[in-house]
Amino acid sequence: MSTTLLVVQVLNGLQLGVLLFLIAAGLTLVFGVMDFINLAHGVQYMLGAYLAVAFYGLTDSFVLALVLALAAALAFGLLLEAAVFRHLYGRDHLDHVIATFGIILFLNAAVKYVWGAAPLSLPVPEALTGSVALAPGILYPVWRLVIIGSGLAVAALLWVLVSRTRMGMLVRAGATNPEMVSALGVDIRRLFTLVFGFGAMLAGFAGIMIAPILSVEPGMGDTILILAFVVIVIGGIGSIRGAFVAALLIGLVDTLGRSFAVDVLRLFMSSSTARTVGPALASMLIYLLMAVVLYVRPTGLFPAKGR
């Protein structure tokens, strides 16, 4: 286990963590404010990546593709909320799960129809290609550092919006007591729509940022959605701070576990047994962590006030 590998994997874990936060932040806001389980949140991450690829093909500019894809992701989220999800508020959570799962199937099929089933790619902006030397012998891709930096910047912006603005006050109040907020004259339906659209845009932003690294393909949001749900359960439903801490924790535990589980197990068992047990244990670590957190704190690490 070299120091160089450890530093690189810690940075990879932070990168995964900030991506999970971008997805989980919108998911926890929608769940916390609207009490709505949106399994289709992962396809909004996928659509962000596809829209960026499409707009890059039209403009040949990553910046323009980013702006246009974010606007399209926001518009699509608002359309989806108005056309489908608005009619499900107040209904049983099972109805939410069934309806949003149907949207996953529909949009995955629609993506295959429009863009085909073959993986697509989005090039890294030319100015951000290559690697940077973090220390002697430690090189790290510039774009991955950009992902980490942009994720941390969005986290700071969200903290300011939620904690220091009137809109954030209404969101926090709506998560605690939506009936009282509505009674005070606030259009709770419009608040729900804005929260949903903002969450969709955050998921789309995560898809755009990861598109230059991963293949853009149908179903790419399904796996990350599971991790995002683990994040909001560990962090506490409706809590942005909880989502941020839990996302970084999950990113680091998953990445470091997959990288070093075999090496650690070799200290306690034979190499052949460690090679067999290590990968299986590494894939379970985040779920074991979730079980421990729920046992100690059933409402999560930082539950929203009032829950």
Side-chain angles (χ1 to χ4, degrees):
M1 184 188 301
S2 67
T3 303
T4 300
L5 179 59
L6 178 61
V7 171
V8 169
Q9 293 305 325
V10 166
L11 289 172
N12 286 341
L14 290 176
Q15 176 209 292
L16 175 59
V18 296
L19 284 172
L20 288 175
F21 170 72
L22 291 174
I23 299 171
L27 194 60
T28 196
L29 282 176
V30 169
F31 198 5
V33 175
M34 303 155 69
D35 196 29
F36 184 83
I37 300 176
N38 180 19
L39 294 186
H41 202 70
V43 298
Q44 292 163 333
Y45 160 84
M46 175 187 71
L47 282 173
Y50 270 104
L51 289 169
V53 171
F55 285 124
Y56 183 84
L58 294 174
T59 63
D60 200 33
S61 167
F62 185 89
V63 175
L64 284 176
L66 172 64
V67 173
L68 292 173
L70 282 177
L74 173 61
F76 183 79
L78 295 175
L79 176 63
L80 202 59
E81 193 275 339
V84 180
F85 297 151
R86 182 174 298 177
H87 307 287
L88 298 171
Y89 299 154
R91 299 181 65 171
D92 188 79
H93 286 161
L94 181 60
D95 294 334
H96 302 168
V97 170
I98 294 172
T100 54
F101 183 71
I103 290 173
I104 291 175
L105 299 178
F106 174 80
L107 290 179
N108 279 333
V111 161
K112 289 182 182 178
Y113 179 79
V114 174
W115 284 285
L120 303 178
S121 61
L122 180 67
V124 176
E126 187 173 348
L128 300 173
T129 57
S131 300
V132 62
L134 302 178
I138 301 179
L139 296 176
Y140 199 72
V142 174
W143 183 248
R144 290 181 181 267
L145 291 175
V146 170
I147 293 176
I148 295 173
S150 61
L152 294 177
V154 169
L157 177 62
L158 270 177
W159 180 81
V160 172
L161 289 175
V162 172
S163 303
R164 296 288 185 267
T165 66
R166 182 175 184 273
M167 179 59 69
M169 178 190 68
L170 293 176
V171 168
R172 286 183 282 118
T176 304
N177 195 331
E179 293 82 7
M180 181 61 72
V181 173
S182 182
L184 292 174
V186 176
D187 188 342
I188 200 71
R189 182 64 59 84
R190 179 179 296 178
L191 179 65
F192 283 3
T193 300
L194 290 175
V195 168
F196 193 94
F198 189 68
M201 187 173 65
L202 285 177
F205 180 64
I208 296 166
M209 297 304 290
I210 202 62
I213 297 177
L214 301 180
S215 297
V216 180
E217 56 189 354
M220 63 181 290
D222 298 346
T223 302
I224 199 105
L225 177 68
I226 297 173
L227 295 178
F229 270 112
V230 173
V231 166
I232 66 171
V233 169
I234 291 177
I237 295 172
S239 171
I240 293 294
R241 179 177 62 161
F244 179 72
V245 173
L248 294 183
L249 189 60
I250 289 296
L252 289 170
V253 168
D254 187 64
T255 302
L256 295 177
R258 294 179 186 276
S259 300
F260 301 116
V262 174
D263 293 332
V264 173
L265 289 177
R266 281 190 181 129
L267 300 175
F268 308 100
M269 57 186 68
S270 65
S271 295
S272 60
T273 305
R275 284 194 297 270
T276 302
V277 176
L281 180 61
S283 64
M284 296 166 52
L285 283 177
I286 58 173
Y287 305 106
L288 293 174
L289 175 63
M290 180 175 67
V292 171
V293 170
L294 289 180
Y295 179 78
V296 177
R297 294 180 64 87
T299 56
L301 295 175
F302 302 100
K305 293 181 179 179
R307 283 189 170 269

